[in-house]
Amino acid sequence: MFVLLNNCIKQLKKRFIQSFEMGKFLKPGRLIVMLAGRYAGKKAILIKANEETTKDCKFPNGLVVGIQRYPRKVTKRMGQKQIRKRTTLKVFIKQLNLNHIMPTRYRLEESTLKEVRDRIERVKESELKNVEKRKELRKNLRKYLAEKYRTLPAGSLADKKAQSRFLFSKLRF
C-alpha cells in the first residue's frame, strides 16, 4: 500500500514539474542579437542550437550566421553601380555560448533558412575550422544574403514576408 502511494506521489510530482517547464524557443531560424564578444550588438540567425554539453564544448552552444557590416541607405538618384556597392554586406559565422545571445521575436522564413542551412551543411563541421573553407563559405553566404536583401518586399515588420528586414537593419541603441 505504502509503495503504491509513494509511486503515485512521484508521478504527480513529475507531471507537475513538466507542466511548468519552459518550452524551447532557441530553435533554428530565430533572429538573435549578440551580447558579448567581437560582434556584440550585431544581429544574427541561429542555425543550430546544441543545449547539451559535450567533451569538446562544456557549455550550451550554437552556430550562428550574422551580419558584421550592414547595407547602407539607398536613394532614387543613385545609379545601379552605386546601389550594388551600398547594398553589399559582410557576414560572419561563429560557434558561441547560448548565454551570450538574446533571442528576438522575429524568425527567418523557412525557405531562406533552408537555403542558408544547405550552404553551411555542404561544408563539414571539421572543415569549418579551416580558414580557406570558412572564407569561401562566408563569401557564398554574403552573396546570397545581399541578393535576399535587394529583393526584399516593401512593408512593415508586421508582415511575415518583411520580417527578415529586421535582420538587415542596424541595431540602434
Side-chain angles (χ1 to χ4, degrees), residues 42-108:
K42 303 293 182 186
K43 296 176 187 176
I45 309 161
L46 186 66
I47 301 298
K48 193 187 297 182
N50 186 16
E51 294 185 9
E52 288 81 34
T53 59
T54 61
K55 278 186 177 180
D56 299 337
C57 228
K58 304 225 181 302
F59 50 85
N61 57 27
L63 180 68
V64 297
V65 172
I67 298 179
Q68 186 175 345
R69 186 173 58 226
Y70 293 94
R72 293 174 20 215
K73 187 178 178 182
V74 174
T75 61
K76 289 182 182 179
R77 295 187 323 173
M78 293 180 186
Q80 287 298 320
K81 187 176 178 183
Q82 193 173 9
I83 289 173
R84 197 143 195 78
K85 192 172 183 179
R86 291 179 75 91
T87 56
T88 57
L89 37 94
K90 196 171 181 183
V91 175
F92 67 87
I93 304 161
K94 194 157 179 68
Q95 186 86 19
L96 64 129
N97 192 335
L98 291 181
N99 293 329
H100 298 162
I101 63 171
M102 181 178 70
T104 63
R105 63 182 176 176
Y106 301 108
R107 287 185 58 90
L108 204 62

Side-chain angles (χ1 to χ4, degrees), residues 12-23:
L12 283 174
K13 279 184 181 178
K14 191 176 181 181
R15 284 186 190 159
F16 182 75
I17 291 170
Q18 282 178 347
S19 65
F20 287 105
E21 280 184 1
M22 199 163 152

Side-chain angles (χ1 to χ4, degrees), residues 23-36:
K24 291 185 180 180
F25 56 90
L26 287 175
K27 294 180 182 172
R30 176 74 58 189
L31 296 180
I32 60 168
V33 176
M34 309 278 287
L35 297 178

